[in-house]
Amino acid sequence: MKETVSELLQSALATLQSEGTLPANQTFTPQVGNTKDKSHGDYACNIALVASKAAGCPPRKLAEALVERLPNSSAVDKVEIAGPGFINFFMSTASAFEVVNTILDEAGHYGRNRNGNGEKVQVEFVSANPTGPLHVGHGRGAAIGDCLSRLLEANGYEVTREFYYNDAGAQINNLALSVQSRVKGLTPEDENWPADGYRGDYITDVANAYLAGETVTADDREVTGKADPDDQQAIQEFAVAYLRREQDLDLKAFGVEFDVYFLESSLYENGKVEEAVERLQENGYTYEHDGAMWLKTTEFGDDKDRVMRKKDGGYTYFLPDVAYHLDKWQRGFTTVINEQGADHHSTVTRVRAGLQALNVGIPKGWPDYVLHQMVMVTRSGQEVKISKRAGSYVTVRDLIDEVGRDATRFFLAARRVDSQLTFDIDLARSQTNENPVYYIQYAHARICSVLRKLKEEGVERGLNECVGDLSLLTLDEEKDLANQLAKYPELIESSAKLREPHHLAHYLRDLAGQFHTYYNAHKVLIEDTAVRDARISLYLAIRQVIANGLDLLGVSAPEEM
RNA sequence: GCGCUCGUAGCUCAGCUGGAUAGAGCAUCGGCCUUCUAAGCCGGUGGUCGCAGGUUCGAGUCCUGCCGGGCGCGCCA
């Protein structure tokens, strides 16, 4: 539809260029926008304002010339020039409802495109260290990362979802010590409890399982508790496996699945870290200072150089990060998106700098980052900080248990990533129109309910059956709905391009709202079966788009509520 | 102090690559269930888009400065 308008305009522009009204050596690309106000038609174009300087005449005059040269099209009812020189297009009613046919034809594929052309894209998200249950922040990452992945898939990309975790180093050591202390019967209140030990109840669970000789399976490995209180290494391996399994259960309950679990330790085992170090040294970007090895990240925009090998000979986290991303690049991902909490933003410049210093042809701004801001959880207007299970933070499991998976996913993905998010438990639990999740799901269920009712009356309609004469749809609400449905594909495209999944949530809220209004204002199961059938076709198209959209959010579309 | 980021109605938030009188929901006030699910609908009240400049035919949107919130500034990850 928009393309049609755009083509008409391009044709008119070309005519003006050949006539000499517009310079032939410039290219003019008309931007066709959606209108906010119906009195401005369905689409508007500002090209006359943009090009008036080049034409050397006032915008309104240029607009008039342009409109005169627009080719005829059955899709356009009328064209108006308004305000300072906007060209407003009023589309024909018949063309507005073509989308209903398209939607019912394409069904679950409606809105999807092949722009990605099968290109391999990796989305790394969550990447929590196995030191405890996933917290709300991880939940936000999981919701955003997964939704983004689904959006990219809908745009024809081949997406790999990856989870990276640190299975060695200081905090894992700390975890092992904490579990060991529990194994030996200590509690966080004891004075011998490790200074930075993990205090949550889950540590006790790990300790008990270890002592009981339980076997846990996670990420292709199987670890059995050795029950030996003094074998710290055995405790560490068991604890890591145990907590990884726990996180997997959280993610599963959340409906998120990963294709690859990447262990930091593997980068040491297969020499990737050494390889990175050697390359950086060869390229002359390293130097020794204070007994440590530094990388000249300042040459690539960092504000200070970074230590890559510590005085004690160990590497900082920064180096395996670089090695990890080199590995991603070598695996052939020309597009990589890292979804992380905003507290990681300092690593962005650093990792990119390290990758440039490798000098292996990685583009400057690679990889992409999507950083989400912090999440605060409230109940009865008060901030909730404590979870019994984790001790010091609210877990993903807490939220799923309390408000359910659909609401949790929706709320965590529905906000712009760069704004801080307040997760209101009362709101997420409420079952009224103040809760957008139920509001959208209810629209879907209502349509399904109407279909059931119709069936009781002896009329069976397939979900993708377009029956009836759509030209009988003459109401404003119906045309508005059709227009809203027609916007869905471009929404899928732009949300993926911008890496902003929240648009989807808002779009669905709007669509559901329009539907509820229409539903209340006009009955569908009426005696005039011709109109009824046409309306049902529109209903089915709405149902399909809501189902498609909710699917991309990872939220269910119930048939009854 | 420096860097990143946000600051839109009482509250929670939209506002697509700058575009035509700033939008929702909640709250508040008032209506609608003998009729397809009231988990719904309709209407009213409510905003100098943090402040001040600048760019532009046009700025909530871009630039600068200031104020305020968040995050980061470890040989922690």
Side-chain angles (χ1 to χ4, degrees):
Chain A
M1 247 331 205
K2 219 180 222 181
E3 289 84 60
T4 313
V5 171
S6 180
E7 281 162 22
L8 295 175
L9 281 161
Q10 270 167 22
S11 157
L13 284 164
T15 308
L16 284 180
Q17 282 182 308
S18 68
E19 289 172 3
T21 313
L22 283 169
N25 57 357
Q26 279 184 47
T27 45
F28 297 94
T29 41
Q31 294 189 352
V32 181
N34 300 315
T35 53
K36 286 178 192 166
D37 192 324
K38 253 188 280 175
S39 67
H40 299 145
D42 298 302
Y43 301 104
C45 183
N46 64 352
I47 188 71
L49 285 89
V50 176
S52 78
K53 225 172 226 173
C57 73
R60 278 199 77 108
K61 209 168 169 202
L62 179 60
E64 281 166 26
L66 213 44
V67 170
E68 274 170 31
R69 285 156 186 81
L70 282 172
N72 282 324
S73 166
S74 60
V76 180
D77 254 3
K78 67 173 172 175
V79 180
E80 277 181 3
I81 298 165
F86 292 103
I87 305 173
N88 295 334
F89 291 84
F90 295 76
M91 309 307 283
S92 71
T93 309
S95 69
F97 289 105
E98 277 168 23
V99 70
V100 171
N101 272 305
T102 309
I103 293 166
L104 295 180
D105 265 4
E106 299 182 4
H109 290 282
Y110 178 70
R112 303 179 88 91
N113 63 64
R114 306 208 157 275
N115 296 351
N117 207 14
E119 187 196 323
K120 282 176 65 176
V121 174
Q122 187 209 60
V123 182
E124 183 208 325
F125 59 112
V126 184
S127 294
N129 285 334
T131 53
L134 299 176
H135 56 66
V136 219
H138 294 130
R140 190 174 191 188
I144 292 167
D146 191 51
C147 183
L148 203 49
S149 300
R150 289 168 191 246
L151 274 168
L152 288 163
E153 284 166 346
N155 279 272
Y157 292 90
E158 192 189 316
V159 179
T160 300
R161 292 168 174 77
E162 189 151 320
F163 186 119
Y164 173 78
Y165 70 91
N166 170 305
D167 58 339
Q171 47 198 336
I172 296 297
N173 193 45
N174 188 12
L175 169 72
L177 284 173
S178 308
V179 174
Q180 188 173 34
S181 301
R182 279 288 189 187
V183 165
K184 292 184 171 174
L186 295 179
T187 64
E189 287 69 42
D190 277 299
E191 51 182 294
N192 290 332
W193 186 260
D196 301 316
Y198 295 101
R199 311 166 75 93
D201 284 359
Y202 67 94
I203 294 291
T204 316
D205 298 340
V206 180
N208 290 339
Y210 176 77
L211 284 172
E214 261 181 47
T215 298
V216 294
T217 313
D219 313 330
D220 305 332
R221 41 171 145 164
E222 203 175 77
V223 180
T224 302
K226 218 172 148 189
D228 177 355
D230 296 313
D231 191 337
Q232 203 192 318
Q233 186 59 32
I235 292 174
Q236 176 174 317
E237 279 171 27
F238 182 81
V240 166
Y242 186 98
L243 291 171
R244 276 288 317 123
R245 186 189 62 180
E246 288 293 296
Q247 293 184 346
D248 280 346
L249 291 172
D250 291 348
L251 291 167
K252 201 171 177 190
F254 207 41
V256 175
E257 279 181 40
F258 287 88
D259 303 299
V260 176
Y261 287 91
F262 198 103
L263 278 68
E264 185 187 4
S265 61
S266 72
L267 293 165
Y268 291 96
E269 285 159 14
N270 61 20
K272 290 275 181 187
V273 171
E274 283 304 324
E275 184 189 326
V277 174
E278 281 163 25
R279 233 182 246 277
L280 293 171
Q281 284 178 316
E282 278 168 26
N283 294 343
Y285 291 117
T286 63
Y287 61 93
E288 302 275 338
H289 179 69
D290 283 348
M293 187 192 288
W294 297 68
L295 185 70
K296 296 179 194 168
T297 51
T298 45
E299 299 208 1
F300 304 97
D302 204 356
D303 55 348
K304 46 183 134 172
D305 289 341
R306 304 291 164 181
V307 169
M308 48 189 268
R309 194 173 62 212
K310 300 182 277 185
K311 244 185 270 182
D312 67 12
Y315 295 111
T316 61
Y317 71 92
F318 160 62
L319 199 64
D321 264 6
V322 172
Y324 175 42
H325 283 87
L326 173 60
D327 181 74
K328 289 185 182 184
W329 176 257
Q330 289 168 340
R331 276 188 276 158
F333 294 111
T334 47
T335 302
V336 164
I337 300 171
N338 291 335
E339 204 294 339
Q340 296 177 308
D343 52 339
H344 289 81
H345 71 71
S346 61
T347 70
V348 177
T349 317
R350 233 170 283 177
V351 167
R352 284 181 180 159
L355 291 170
Q356 290 306 301
L358 287 169
N359 198 17
V360 291
I362 295 175
K364 246 184 170 179
W366 190 94
D368 282 357
Y369 281 86
V370 172
L371 303 178
H372 64 259
Q373 291 289 329
M374 303 292 107
V375 183
M376 178 172 79
V377 179
T378 64
R379 188 204 313 272
S380 316
Q382 296 291 310
E383 181 172 1
V384 182
K385 284 183 173 165
I386 307 299
S387 144
K388 191 159 182 296
R389 194 153 157 263
S392 55
Y393 55 85
V394 180
T395 67
V396 172
R397 194 79 70 83
D398 293 337
L399 292 180
I400 297 175
D401 288 348
E402 188 157 3
V403 311
R405 164 177 143 182
D406 284 344
T408 306
R409 281 191 75 133
F410 187 93
F411 277 85
L412 290 176
R415 212 68 88 210
R416 250 169 64 218
V417 296
D418 48 14
S419 71
Q420 287 151 235
L421 164 59
T422 304
F423 192 107
D424 183 339
I425 288 184
D426 306 313
L427 177 62
R429 290 188 66 160
S430 76
Q431 302 201 343
T432 62
N433 64 353
E434 59 191 286
N435 188 334
V437 190
Y438 289 108
Y439 186 82
I440 296 164
Q441 289 180 322
Y442 183 45
H444 185 270
R446 257 187 162 168
I447 293 171
C448 294
S449 167
V450 166
L451 290 173
R452 283 191 295 272
K453 203 85 186 174
L454 189 64
K455 196 174 170 184
E456 282 171 24
E457 293 177 12
V459 183
E460 191 127 12
R461 283 287 293 269
L463 284 183
N464 297 307
E465 216 181 328
C466 192
V467 176
D469 180 0
L470 296 180
S471 70
L472 296 172
L473 301 175
T474 52
L475 297 164
D476 279 352
E477 290 98 322
E478 290 165 343
K479 193 179 174 190
D480 291 347
L481 274 161
N483 285 341
Q484 175 78 354
L485 294 174
K487 282 183 200 162
Y488 181 71
E490 64 183 273
L491 171 88
I492 297 308
E493 199 177 331
S494 67
S495 301
K497 204 170 281 174
L498 298 168
R499 274 98 226 238
E500 292 178 354
H502 72 279
H503 293 300
L504 191 47
H506 287 276
Y507 169 86
L508 291 174
R509 178 68 181 67
D510 289 345
L511 175 59
Q514 281 186 44
F515 169 73
H516 286 308
T517 297
Y518 174 52
Y519 175 92
N520 274 279
H522 306 283
K523 274 196 79 167
V524 58
L525 299 180
I526 50 178
E527 286 183 15
D528 184 341
T529 55
V531 172
R532 181 198 68 190
D533 288 346
R535 286 184 180 171
I536 291 286
S537 292
L538 179 60
Y539 266 45
L540 290 175
I542 296 165
R543 189 210 67 83
Q544 186 69 60
V545 171
I546 291 177
N548 291 3
L550 285 177
D551 179 60
L552 292 180
L553 281 169
V555 175
S556 68
E559 294 188 5
E560 53 190 313
M561 295 174 73

